[in-house]
Amino acid sequence: MEGRQEAGKESKPSSVSVDLQGDSSLQVEISDAVSERDKVKFTVQTKSCLPHFAQTEFSVVRQHEEFIWLHDAYVENEEYAGLIIPPAPPRPDFEASREKLQKLGEGDSSITREEFAKMKQELEAEYLAIFKKTVAMHEVFLQRLAAHPTLRRDHNFFVFLEYGQDLSVRGKNRKELLGGFLRNIVKSADEALITSMSGLKEVDDFFEHERTFLLEYHSRIRDACLRADRVMHSHKCLADDYIPISAALNSLGTQEVNQLKTSFLKLAELFERLRKLEGRVASDEDLKLSDMLRYYMRDSQAAKDLLYRRLRALADYENANKALDKARTRNREVRTAESHQQLCCQRFESLSDSAKQELMDFKSRRVSSFRKNLIELAELELKHAKASTLLLRNTLVALKGEP
Amino acid sequence: IPSSPEPASLPAEDVSTNSNGPRPAEVVLDDDREDLFAEATEEVSLDSPEREPILSSEPSPAVTPVTPTTLIAPRIESKSMSAPVIFDRSREEVWENVCDGMNAYMAYRVTTKTSLSMFSKSEFSVKRRFSDFLGLHSKLASKYLHVGYIVPPAPEKSIVGMTKVKVGKEDSSSTEFVEKRRAALERYLQRTVKHPTLLQDPDLRQFLESSELPRAVNTQALSGAGILRMVNKAADAVNKMTIKMNESDAWFEEKQQQFENLDQQLRKLHASVEALVCHRKELSANTAAFAKSAAMLGNSEDHTALSRALSQLAEVEEKIDQLHQEQAFADFYMFSELLSDYIRLIAAVKGVFDHRMKCWQKWEDAQITLLKKREIEAKMMVANKPDKIQQAKNEIREWEAKVQQGERDFEQISKTIRKEVGRFEKERVKDFKTVIIKYLESLVQTQQQVSSFFITYFITYKLLLELWCTFSF
């Protein structure tokens, strides 16, 4: 199935917005996107007056794998060890939606043409929503990079934005995926080892607090995200249930010869409208709640990764200290040990400083995002509840008014 | 009831989802501002006293008649009808688990309030078992079905559900089961009592009035399903006879087709509504789970105002979960059960039409036999066998009477069915309209509650926002 997303901020459901603070020196957006058989092509448009770009406005076409390449490049770069690397956008996944459309196409002869048309409409809307979301996720990733004073100056970022050709970054093969998986295990094991290392004390209360906080927060937000997804899914099921109900009521109404005729037909209409409302409730919850929770789940993971890197640096510093002591006792290679220790110290301290700033930014980002989305969610829920009430009341009046 | 002096304002249109950075919540002033608060104070209480099963075999303690929510029991309004002025209302209320030696069984209390003179008192109560209801139905069916009366079918037997209850399993599913059965029995009785002919029946009177009832035996074949099977068997037998009935009356053919269509559509609708009930229950469970995780997240959150906002959200979601549960009840008891009742009622209607066919067949057979007897008479006359002639004449007389009776029976059953169908259709229209309205009212209530919860949330949130803005962390 093909899909196309035209430019225009008003059509983007962004529960996570990036505050560009009116910075016009580098503006990035995804101005267009096309969904083909098994991949999505994003048109990344850049507007910039920075000197290293050849033009002030230019576009390139990028696929998901290239975004991942960029993300990994940042993660592997020592220079950025003290920063929260914006989480990579999730892979566009239309599998479930496609399967459902296919199943619908294969046909269930017991459903009427109207029912079929409605279900198809629903599925197409779902497909479109997934498409919009994936565009938004990819865009937010780039925009956060563009807004970050350090990350925006990365050479790979410029290449990503400007280089007209394909970056020839194939998707990870199995060996690389496995490698990545193992690396995560090694990382957790390492972390466990470091923390149990004797003599490794957290000197800074701030980080001690952050560590405890992030561990708990991350696991709880993950739970909340999963459960929010389930609620949204239930709302969708409910909305879908109204389709056959409305159709059956319609048939009943058409067949009746008595006063129930109008009652059934009105009820059929009511359920059709309720279906649309219920569908909107589901999609609002999805955007304002689920997506937001999901994003901050990933962002908090990125924050945890930062803390890990700092911890690693602290361990290295501790080890360097020990090595220096040993060298002094033996009076061998003291110079080397000294300079190594100094390096580790500097690294650790600069990491700590930048991490502190990053974590405070993370907090303010999170708080403002939640604030905005929670109130918007509540407003929308209220709006839908009032619309439902009005709809139901009108139907009741019409039904009661009948002889 | 919130007593904030400052009304919360509502945006009049879609909130833009695309702003950079935080945006304050107040937007356009809404004309509905007054209305907002009217809704907030209009809190309908959905609490009612809990129903409690009494696990003793003592005779009737005075128990308050109670229903789980005011939305559930579709009781007949005690409106006096135009003419004649009669009112009779039988009402099911408390049930109790009775231990009777070896067998434990559930007894249901049937309370009747009436102004009819045929009853000795104006208000009385009796205890009945499920099999008593089946027994009543079988008696009424055997007396009235074959002459064209639409006898309301009794509720289905359910082995699984009842075993759990008998074993004394006190969980929500067995309570739910008993309530479902109680409501079904109530509706059954109320429909039966509404039937003017059945109301006159002594068996019905005995059922409602007498303190002791002889135990109905062999209720296996007499449950609603049993009757259905009997009716279906009769229908099959009728079909096998390949009756080519000269339908002189198009009305019957029309009606049969109508009921056939109605049956199909109701079954479809019923299946869809059952799916709705199931999904609403799921929604409720998922909402409750989310509420818990939102509360946990709120606890973790170290920004005070945000932490509060999340806890608030968790509270709102918990309340909404309750609403979903109650709505699922309404979905089921009002909508779904109405449909399943009518699916079975229509089976009874179909049965009555089939009985008419059988009646016609009997008449037809009598006519054929009469013809044969006349042929025999003619033959005997030709053969000149005087004693055989006499016998033939006797038989002719006998069969002439049978043909006349057959014709009378057929006309009677046709007349009865016409009247019955007319009454049935009137009742059906009333029934559906009443329940539809009740159901919609339940939906309205739910949505109003949701609105009021979010209004309260807003007000609290607004206060939180002040906190938020004053202290950045």
Side-chain angles (χ1 to χ4, degrees):
Chain A
M1 168 160 176
E2 300 265 322
R4 204 170 188 98
Q5 161 92 12
E6 287 307 306
K9 289 198 182 242
E10 52 278 25
S11 55
K12 288 180 195 141
S14 178
S15 60
V16 184
S17 50
V18 183
D19 189 357
L20 294 175
Q21 284 155 343
D23 185 350
S24 59
S25 60
L26 180 62
Q27 281 182 341
V28 183
E29 71 174 27
I30 294 183
S31 59
D32 193 11
V34 176
S35 155
E36 284 167 14
R37 181 73 203 125
D38 53 355
K39 51 191 173 213
V40 181
K41 295 200 168 130
F42 304 95
T43 304
V44 180
Q45 187 182 62
T46 312
K47 292 192 181 126
S48 174
C49 50
L50 292 174
H52 18 249
F53 293 120
Q55 300 160 289
T56 48
E57 213 172 299
F58 48 92
S59 288
V60 293
V61 176
R62 292 285 174 245
Q63 289 184 40
H64 175 72
E65 287 76 20
E66 293 165 301
F67 286 77
I68 300 302
W69 165 83
L70 183 62
H71 173 261
D72 290 349
Y74 276 108
V75 168
E76 286 157 17
N77 193 332
E78 241 321 294
E79 268 183 59
Y80 307 131
L83 306 174
I84 294 180
I85 310 296
R91 197 177 65 84
D93 184 11
F94 298 100
E95 263 323 296
S97 201
R98 250 189 227 123
E99 254 177 51
K100 279 194 235 171
L101 265 166
Q102 197 175 21
K103 246 199 242 167
L104 185 66
E106 273 156 23
D108 175 5
S109 56
S110 70
I111 60 176
T112 66
R113 227 179 339 165
E114 287 88 16
E115 276 179 87
F116 179 84
K118 282 184 196 161
M119 285 164 76
K120 184 153 173 279
Q121 207 183 53
E122 275 305 307
L123 286 176
E124 285 173 353
E126 193 180 298
Y127 190 97
L128 192 63
I130 296 177
F131 186 69
K132 282 187 178 174
K133 268 204 257 180
T134 194
V135 169
M137 292 285 104
H138 284 76
E139 189 178 69
V140 154
F141 171 67
L142 294 178
Q143 287 180 335
R144 259 186 76 181
L145 291 170
H148 196 288
T150 316
L151 297 173
R152 80 207 310 236
R153 289 190 256 126
D154 184 80
H155 172 74
N156 288 322
F157 191 41
F158 295 150
V159 169
F160 178 94
L161 291 175
E162 208 183 9
Y163 185 60
Q165 313 271 4
D166 193 341
L167 289 175
S168 301
V169 172
R170 53 182 172 72
K172 295 192 175 129
N173 62 23
R174 260 176 65 197
K175 203 166 109 185
E176 285 165 331
L177 276 170
L178 202 62
F181 182 60
L182 285 172
R183 237 175 292 141
N184 277 333
I185 296 186
V186 166
K187 196 171 83 179
S188 331
D190 192 27
E191 192 167 354
L193 258 171
I194 300 176
T195 50
S196 64
M197 242 174 80
S198 59
L200 185 70
K201 278 175 300 208
E202 183 50 81
V203 293
D204 196 336
D205 274 343
F206 174 81
F207 286 104
E208 184 56 42
H209 165 81
E210 284 296 304
R211 197 159 160 271
T212 327
F213 165 72
L214 272 174
L215 267 168
E216 192 183 64
Y217 189 81
H218 175 78
S219 107
R220 288 185 180 185
I221 199 173
R222 189 178 43 205
D223 263 345
C225 179
L226 281 168
R227 291 175 182 192
D229 277 345
R230 285 198 206 124
V231 171
M232 184 214 66
H233 177 76
S234 286
H235 273 296
K236 268 229 86 214
C237 283
L238 223 58
D240 286 343
D241 284 337
Y242 286 141
I243 297 178
I245 290 180
S246 182
L249 284 166
N250 229 322
S251 311
L252 274 168
T254 340
Q255 285 169 20
E256 288 284 358
V257 295
N258 54 34
Q259 306 109 294
L260 283 180
K261 189 185 194 66
T262 20
S263 299
F264 282 139
L265 291 174
K266 286 223 164 73
L267 211 59
E269 202 189 303
L270 170 71
F271 275 107
E272 174 55 25
R273 298 241 191 103
L274 283 179
R275 170 179 84 92
K276 298 225 170 87
L277 275 172
E278 194 74 36
R280 263 180 237 138
V281 168
S283 81
D284 287 338
E285 281 185 355
D286 191 23
L287 292 175
K288 300 290 165 197
L289 204 52
S290 292
D291 276 358
M292 176 185 72
L293 292 172
R294 206 183 332 269
Y295 190 81
Y296 283 98
M297 174 182 81
R298 295 205 187 102
D299 216 10
S300 57
Q301 181 62 49
K304 277 170 73 183
D305 292 344
L306 171 61
L307 282 182
Y308 163 73
R309 292 194 290 268
R310 179 184 162 274
L311 210 61
R312 179 78 257 170
L314 179 61
D316 290 344
Y317 180 29
E318 281 291 315
N319 287 336
N321 275 334
K322 289 196 185 126
L324 180 58
D325 286 341
K326 234 203 265 177
R328 285 202 176 124
T329 346
R330 293 195 200 147
N331 206 2
R332 274 178 57 183
E333 297 182 347
V334 177
R335 260 304 146 70
T336 354
E338 262 177 4
S339 60
H340 178 66
Q341 189 254 26
Q342 256 184 20
L343 219 68
C344 285
C345 176
Q346 274 166 9
R347 183 161 174 273
F348 172 69
E349 281 176 358
S350 88
L351 246 175
S352 289
D353 284 339
S354 98
K356 201 169 215 167
Q357 185 58 49
E358 288 284 302
L359 288 168
M360 296 200 300
D361 288 346
F362 169 66
K363 182 168 183 173
S364 72
R365 234 191 352 257
R366 176 178 91 239
V367 166
S368 91
S369 202
F370 269 72
R371 179 166 71 188
K372 170 171 170 274
N373 284 298
L374 287 181
I375 198 77
E376 283 178 3
L377 177 68
E379 282 171 348
L380 287 167
E381 297 264 28
L382 185 63
K383 177 173 160 220
H384 295 319
K386 292 188 109 201
S388 295
T389 309
L390 191 64
L391 180 63
L392 289 162
R393 280 218 177 111
N394 287 342
T395 313
L396 267 170
V397 163
L399 288 177
K400 280 180 177 166
E402 309 251 308
Chain B
I1 298 171
S3 57
S4 159
E6 209 186 281
S9 28
L10 255 197
E13 56 210 347
D14 244 46
V15 174
S16 163
T17 56
N18 174 60
S19 50
N20 279 335
R23 201 173 57 84
E26 26 72 16
V27 194
V28 180
L29 285 179
D30 198 17
D31 281 332
D32 275 348
R33 225 188 312 171
E34 311 299 283
D35 212 34
L36 258 183
F37 277 80
E39 285 175 41
T41 56
E42 210 190 90
E43 220 174 77
V44 177
S45 166
L46 290 174
D47 299 321
S48 342
E50 286 294 295
R51 165 192 299 272
E52 280 167 56
I54 307 155
L55 295 163
S56 75
S57 56
E58 283 173 62
S60 32
V63 182
T64 345
V66 140
T67 51
T69 83
T70 51
L71 305 170
I72 285 186
R75 305 209 297 259
I76 306 178
E77 309 277 277
S78 57
K79 267 188 244 164
S80 338
M81 293 185 265
S82 41
V85 181
I86 28 162
F87 87 80
D88 174 46
R89 178 178 63 172
S90 59
R91 191 166 48 155
E92 289 262 331
E93 293 171 6
V94 173
W95 35 260
E96 37 188 82
N97 228 330
V98 176
C99 279
D100 171 19
M102 296 284 273
N103 310 312
Y105 62 90
M106 189 66 72
Y108 300 88
R109 186 203 303 293
V110 180
T111 306
T112 314
K113 288 198 177 131
T114 178
S115 63
L116 295 169
S117 52
M118 67 168 124
F119 293 102
S120 48
K121 290 185 267 190
S122 61
E123 188 167 337
F124 44 91
S125 261
V126 292
K127 272 194 252 182
R128 294 286 177 253
R129 303 173 57 151
F130 183 68
S131 52
D132 294 333
F133 288 83
L134 295 184
L136 170 68
H137 175 260
S138 86
K139 289 198 194 125
L140 294 175
S142 63
K143 281 194 250 180
Y144 296 98
L145 256 183
H146 68 277
V147 286
Y149 290 97
I150 302 171
V151 178
E156 303 287 308
K157 259 194 172 191
S158 162
I159 301 170
V160 175
M162 210 47 216
T163 318
K164 266 182 148 184
V165 175
K166 281 187 178 167
V167 161
K169 199 157 184 268
E170 280 296 312
D171 66 355
S172 63
S173 69
S174 52
T175 343
E176 231 181 274
F177 172 80
V178 177
E179 173 52 31
K180 176 178 170 181
R181 176 163 277 192
R182 185 207 66 83
L185 290 172
E186 187 174 82
R187 292 192 308 271
Y188 162 67
L189 268 189
Q190 288 176 339
R191 286 208 175 93
T192 309
V193 153
K194 262 196 252 182
H195 194 299
T197 311
L198 296 179
L199 182 57
Q200 304 294 327
D201 188 279
D203 281 322
L204 178 58
R205 233 180 304 146
Q206 188 188 40
F207 181 90
L208 292 175
E209 260 189 326
S210 54
S211 46
E212 280 302 315
L213 209 63
R215 275 235 32 213
V217 292
N218 196 21
T219 52
Q220 280 297 326
L222 304 177
S223 66
I227 293 286
L228 212 63
R229 260 177 269 127
M230 265 165 53
V231 163
N232 286 337
K233 256 200 283 197
D236 286 338
V238 161
N239 288 335
K240 284 199 185 94
M241 284 192 264
T242 58
I243 296 179
K244 286 195 179 75
M245 182 170 149
N246 275 343
E247 189 52 85
S248 53
D249 201 339
W251 185 92
F252 284 91
E253 221 171 283
E254 235 178 75
K255 282 297 167 188
Q256 268 185 290
Q257 190 56 54
Q258 230 181 286
F259 281 113
E260 190 54 55
N261 294 341
L262 188 60
D263 183 42
Q264 270 181 21
Q265 287 307 321
L266 286 180
R267 279 176 199 272
K268 260 205 210 158
L269 185 58
H270 182 242
S272 310
V273 173
E274 284 198 309
L276 181 74
V277 173
C278 178
H279 286 138
R280 208 175 305 265
K281 284 190 180 158
E282 264 175 37
L283 176 61
S284 158
N286 288 337
T287 309
F290 173 71
K292 287 206 183 83
S293 65
M296 297 272 278
L297 189 63
N299 280 341
S300 281
E301 178 57 65
D302 60 354
H303 185 281
T304 327
L306 177 56
S307 166
R308 283 272 184 73
L310 285 167
S311 307
Q312 273 286 100
L313 181 67
E315 269 177 46
V316 170
E317 293 291 334
E318 232 178 81
K319 292 194 196 144
I320 288 182
D321 154 45
Q322 264 302 105
L323 283 180
H324 286 316
Q325 270 185 52
E326 283 158 4
Q327 187 58 59
F329 266 131
D331 287 345
F332 180 71
Y333 282 104
M334 288 187 217
F335 208 175
S336 180
E337 287 284 76
L338 174 74
L339 294 170
S340 67
D341 280 352
Y342 268 90
I343 289 170
R344 280 172 321 149
L345 275 164
I346 286 175
V349 173
K350 288 207 244 182
V352 142
F353 276 97
D354 286 336
H355 275 292
R356 177 175 172 269
M357 293 264 269
K358 270 174 81 178
C359 190
W360 180 87
Q361 190 62 54
K362 202 166 162 204
W363 177 29
E364 184 73 3
D365 288 347
Q367 287 178 305
I368 290 171
T369 313
L370 177 62
L371 225 71
K372 286 208 186 111
K373 298 298 177 189
R374 289 222 169 104
E375 280 171 13
I376 291 174
E377 188 203 27
K379 269 206 207 130
M380 294 305 121
M381 291 192 97
V382 163
N384 203 6
K385 294 195 181 150
D387 42 334
K388 288 269 168 72
I389 291 175
Q390 190 52 48
Q391 183 190 3
K393 281 201 195 293
N394 289 339
E395 285 184 352
I396 286 174
R397 257 204 304 280
E398 185 193 329
W399 281 95
E400 273 175 347
K402 284 198 177 149
V403 166
Q404 275 179 3
Q405 186 60 47
E407 184 175 8
R408 269 201 298 272
D409 287 344
F410 181 71
E411 276 172 8
Q412 184 58 48
I413 198 177
S414 300
K415 200 167 104 178
T416 307
I417 289 179
R418 272 182 186 267
K419 218 170 58 166
E420 281 288 279
V421 167
R423 194 190 57 86
F424 178 82
E425 285 291 85
K426 265 223 240 132
E427 279 301 313
R428 181 167 75 90
V429 170
K430 219 167 37 158
D431 244 349
F432 270 83
K433 280 193 127 187
T434 315
V435 171
I436 287 173
I437 287 176
K438 268 227 173 87
Y439 181 63
L440 290 186
E441 283 173 350
S442 83
L443 288 174
V444 169
Q445 259 193 343
T446 304
Q447 291 304 323
Q448 283 185 309
Q449 289 276 324
V450 171
S451 297
S452 78
F453 293 151
F454 278 107
I455 288 170
T456 322
Y457 180 83
F458 266 127
I459 291 163
T460 326
Y461 203 92
K462 195 119 200 300
L463 297 172
L464 279 176
L465 271 180
E466 326 264 272
L467 238 164
W468 224 308
C469 297
T470 347
F471 313 100
S472 46
F473 277 1

